[in-house]
Amino acid sequence: MCEIVGYIGTREAAPILKKGLKELEYRGYDSAGIAVLGRGGLAVEKRAGRVEGLSAALRGRCGIGHTRWATHGAPTAQNAHPHVCRKIALVHNGIIENAHTLKEECLARGEKFLSETDSEVVAHLVARAYRGDLLAAVREACSRLEGSYALAVLAEDGKQIVCARKKSPLLVGKGEDGCYAASDVAALPPKCEKAYALADGDFAVLGKDLALFGADLCEKEGEEVVLERKEEGGLPFGFRHFMRKEMAEIPRAMANSRLEIKETGDFSRFYEVLCHAEYIQIVACGTAYHAALCFEHAAEKFCRVPVEVTTAGEYRYRDPIVPKGTLCLAVSQSGETADTLAAAACAREKGAKVAALVNVLHSSLARAADFVLPTRAGGERAVAATKSFCAQLAALYSIVHALAGIAGREAPPFSLAKEAETALVRSEKTARWASRFAAARSVYFIGRGADYCAALEGSLKLKEISYLPSEGYAAGELKHGTLALIDGRTPVVAIATSRALAEKTMNAVSEVRARGARVYLITTLPELVSRGEIEDFVLLPPCEEEYSPALTAIPLQMLAYHTALACGNDPDKPRNLAKSVTVE
Ligand code: AGP
């Protein structure tokens, strides 16, 4: 997604901006640019492609930088930020929803546009309003904007950077050598000693000092964020990719993410709400949505509490019914996913208590929720979520356990860290399956019950990094239409961890085998692996079937990883995708 950095101080800005952008690179982008204010005025460099290609030669001690993930207009140098209009240079993250109308207005005034982006119109509005007071001009421009934005703006004749924020994340910080702006803590250098999260509608001025302002332009105190940067280091010896390194961290991520939800202690307020929750709604996107589906299965089975899971982008627009006593869980690794933020706000407006299950504690979602439930997976740099999924499951299964206790029911305790170690070792054999998968036209993942949720996640992972068309399917549904697509060139991954449902899944295996498909089995049930219909298998340690997605995810992630390599793709940086999706 688009990322912003800014610096003003006593050092050369360009190397600091480049370093900050490099730290955020893993989140996905397609073009980059910086603008530096030096003795000779404003110098801008923009390019399609990687940050490395930007030179650090622009001289000056004040500058802004940007990586762009194309939404309006192709990923070209022209569409890259910063956008310049007369004395103003600007970087923007978010989407200006009324850009078309505003642009028409500018065009009618005879103004010329150089890009196809929605962002350039903001530079025009600021330039029009600028009469020597940049903060006032940015504020005036923002009052015309609909949509979401994080902005860093500088004026050629000024000695400051003005930042503004609505719905898109933005931090500002301060150290001995100057002031900083960044979309995320990871881009703030160690020299930045204090950082503040801009609240919605707020502004900041970075100059000799740092000043924060509310929407009324009255100066205000900032909300300080914890500068936790230790997990964002390089790739340790022995790993070629962050994705593989992060998978190796799954056992620790799961162990650290179990929550002690009880009457006393840190989560006692949440426990109180849980005691009175009559209905649970979960909003999430992508992998986090699949973790929520796994929770639904376990919670309904063990606790008999009704749970409704909706992808966040759908929830917010369907005018959802939020019954009294609803607890809304918003699940997100980054805590910055625009759809999840909006869905959580919608649930809250309709009277639900909102608990944010997030991996990034200083995130917007954490700040907007009534309760924060942390997953402690550590920083995740690969775009494909791996350890954060298993950590989300560990935390969600802790909630299942607490809920069951409240309902006077029994739920087996969850602890699969040891089993996950074994799963990692046993999953390596999927490397041998990869060449056949890489050559396939399409792939199916099938399962029933909790295994169906795992199948959805396995399919998403494969699509994301191998770019192969694939589908996760309820095993019993195949015969209602999709079986028509199965032939000898279709690898099928069957997931079977439920003794009660295993034979039913194996019926579906027989059906696809009869159409020539090769079947790869992922199971915890030793009796299934000697079946003649199976091409190969990963046998996982025994585990409670409702919790099994935390284990079956591991060979599925590993298969996706090896297939991506067999396809010649970089699994850490899949094309077109971003780590945190901060636009709708
Ligand atoms: C997972 O591999 C994906 N990168 C994606 O589906 C992700 O889970 C989704 O965008 C939600 O992100 P979040 O957890 O940060 O909200």
Side-chain angles (χ1 to χ4, degrees):
M1 219 52 2
C2 304
E3 308 292 345
I4 283 176
V5 291
Y7 171 72
I8 179 165
T10 54
R11 295 192 293 146
E12 281 300 322
I16 296 174
L17 299 174
K18 267 190 79 176
K19 175 104 193 348
L21 292 177
K22 284 230 39 110
E23 290 297 331
L24 298 177
E25 239 190 339
Y26 70 94
R27 294 163 170 233
Y29 68 102
D30 41 49
S31 52
I34 54 175
V36 173
L37 194 54
R39 286 215 181 106
L42 199 56
V44 180
E45 200 189 328
K46 317 202 277 189
R47 68 188 311 272
R50 300 259 166 221
V51 172
E52 288 90 85
L54 293 172
S55 93
L58 303 186
R59 310 291 294 173
R61 294 179 180 177
C62 170
I64 51 180
H66 190 264
T67 47
R68 172 171 185 260
W69 184 80
T71 57
H72 295 55
T76 58
Q78 249 181 350
N79 287 333
H81 302 214
H83 292 291
V84 177
C85 181
R86 299 193 285 280
K87 289 179 178 170
I88 300 299
L90 165 147
V91 290
H92 166 231
N93 177 12
I95 290 186
I96 305 302
E97 284 167 6
N98 58 340
H100 182 72
T101 318
L102 294 171
K103 191 168 175 178
E104 292 287 307
E105 177 192 300
C106 295
L107 289 170
R109 294 168 64 101
E111 296 176 17
K112 299 257 177 306
F113 281 78
L114 302 172
S115 77
E116 304 155 274
T117 66
D118 55 333
S119 310
E120 192 182 354
V121 79
V122 189
H124 281 249
L125 295 185
V126 178
R128 197 192 300 166
Y130 183 60
R131 284 173 290 275
D133 182 345
L134 188 57
L135 175 60
V138 172
R139 187 195 183 214
E140 195 177 322
C142 287
S143 70
R144 308 275 328 270
L145 304 179
E146 286 164 23
S148 57
Y149 53 81
L151 298 170
V153 189
L154 51 82
E156 194 166 24
D157 56 356
K159 286 203 173 72
Q160 53 182 206
I161 297 171
V162 171
C163 295
R165 184 220 156 163
K166 187 177 157 199
K167 293 189 194 158
S168 296
L170 190 58
L171 305 173
V172 289
K174 204 182 133 164
E176 262 184 21
D177 63 334
C179 296
Y180 298 87
S183 307
D184 190 86
V185 167
L188 294 172
K191 280 187 190 286
C192 177
E193 291 143 16
K194 274 184 188 288
Y196 305 89
L198 275 195
D200 251 6
D202 280 4
F203 300 90
V205 176
L206 286 61
K208 279 214 173 77
D209 213 337
L210 173 66
L212 277 74
F213 300 87
D216 51 4
L217 292 198
C218 286
E219 206 166 334
K220 61 182 275 194
E221 294 281 301
E223 188 192 329
E224 198 170 338
V225 298
V226 183
L227 290 171
E228 263 177 8
R229 306 182 182 96
K230 54 187 179 293
E231 295 281 354
E232 303 286 347
L235 201 53
F237 181 73
F239 292 104
R240 281 170 64 200
H241 299 99
F242 279 101
M243 180 178 173
R244 185 63 190 82
K245 171 205 169 242
E246 286 156 9
M247 288 182 62
E249 291 165 356
I250 287 173
R252 183 156 53 99
M254 284 209 285
N256 291 349
S257 298
R258 289 178 60 193
L259 304 173
E260 285 287 318
I261 299 164
K262 38 183 203 196
E263 282 169 276
T264 53
D266 285 354
F267 300 115
S268 55
R269 278 190 332 111
F270 178 66
Y271 181 86
E272 262 306 298
V273 172
L274 218 48
C275 285
H276 300 105
E278 286 168 29
Y279 192 58
I280 298 180
Q281 293 187 334
I282 313 194
V283 291
C285 297
T287 289
Y289 167 73
H290 296 150
L293 292 176
C294 298
F295 171 85
E296 180 186 32
H297 267 268
E300 292 202 341
K301 173 158 179 190
F302 295 130
C303 319
R304 307 307 294 161
V305 177
V307 179
E308 179 193 347
V309 183
T310 316
T311 51
E314 289 301 314
Y315 182 92
R316 58 188 291 198
Y317 289 118
R318 67 152 208 235
D319 194 12
I321 297 168
V322 179
K324 203 160 170 272
T326 295
L327 166 66
C328 172
L329 286 173
V331 184
S332 172
Q333 187 284 128
S334 63
E336 300 296 351
T337 302
D339 283 327
T340 309
L341 277 163
C346 167
R348 203 155 184 243
E349 257 169 48
K350 288 175 178 267
K353 286 275 178 220
V354 174
L357 185 68
V358 287
N359 199 39
V360 181
L361 285 180
H362 60 263
S363 58
S364 306
L365 187 59
R367 288 198 301 277
D370 296 297
F371 307 97
V372 180
L373 306 172
T375 51
R376 302 190 196 281
E380 193 175 59
R381 290 183 74 113
V383 167
T386 53
K387 63 175 177 172
S388 66
F389 175 69
C390 296
Q392 281 162 353
L393 290 180
L396 289 167
Y397 293 151
S398 310
I399 300 175
V400 169
H401 204 248
L403 261 176
I406 291 165
R409 295 173 174 272
E410 281 283 313
F414 168 80
S415 120
L416 287 175
K418 253 207 167 111
E419 290 81 349
E421 294 279 7
T422 310
L424 279 165
V425 176
R426 295 188 186 171
S427 298
E428 276 300 355
K429 73 192 297 198
T430 57
R432 302 203 294 263
W433 309 356
S435 57
R436 193 160 276 151
F437 278 71
R441 266 195 324 190
S442 60
V443 179
Y444 283 85
F445 292 80
I446 59 170
R448 301 190 74 140
D451 295 330
Y452 170 46
C453 306
L456 293 175
E457 175 57 10
S459 168
L460 178 68
K461 213 88 308 173
L462 189 77
K463 276 186 267 215
E464 216 177 354
I465 57 173
S466 75
Y467 319 147
L468 284 168
S470 98
E471 232 181 313
Y473 227 76
E477 272 291 298
L478 275 180
K479 55 187 174 294
H480 297 292
T482 307
L483 203 52
L485 303 178
I486 306 283
D487 63 19
R489 289 166 297 174
T490 323
V492 174
V493 179
I495 306 156
T497 64
S498 158
R499 265 220 161 83
L501 294 172
E503 280 314 320
K504 302 205 176 292
T505 301
M506 293 315 278
N507 284 343
V509 166
S510 303
E511 287 159 15
V512 296
R513 269 300 296 144
R515 273 84 193 167
R518 292 175 197 267
V519 180
Y520 299 81
L521 180 69
I522 291 172
T523 185
T524 50
L525 307 171
E527 63 272 26
L528 299 185
V529 301
S530 50
R531 298 280 182 99
E533 298 142 310
I534 304 302
E535 193 74 22
D536 201 357
F537 62 87
V538 173
L539 177 62
L540 297 165
C543 104
E544 170 59 48
E545 63 186 66
E546 292 303 331
Y547 299 153
S548 66
L551 280 193
T552 51
I554 294 171
L556 294 170
Q557 293 167 359
M558 198 75 92
L559 173 62
Y561 173 77
H562 287 300
T563 307
L565 295 183
C567 293
N569 303 344
D570 177 349
D572 285 344
K573 293 183 188 131
R575 70 182 183 202
N576 304 343
L577 299 181
K579 183 66 182 164
S580 62
V581 185
T582 51
V583 292
E584 197 183 323

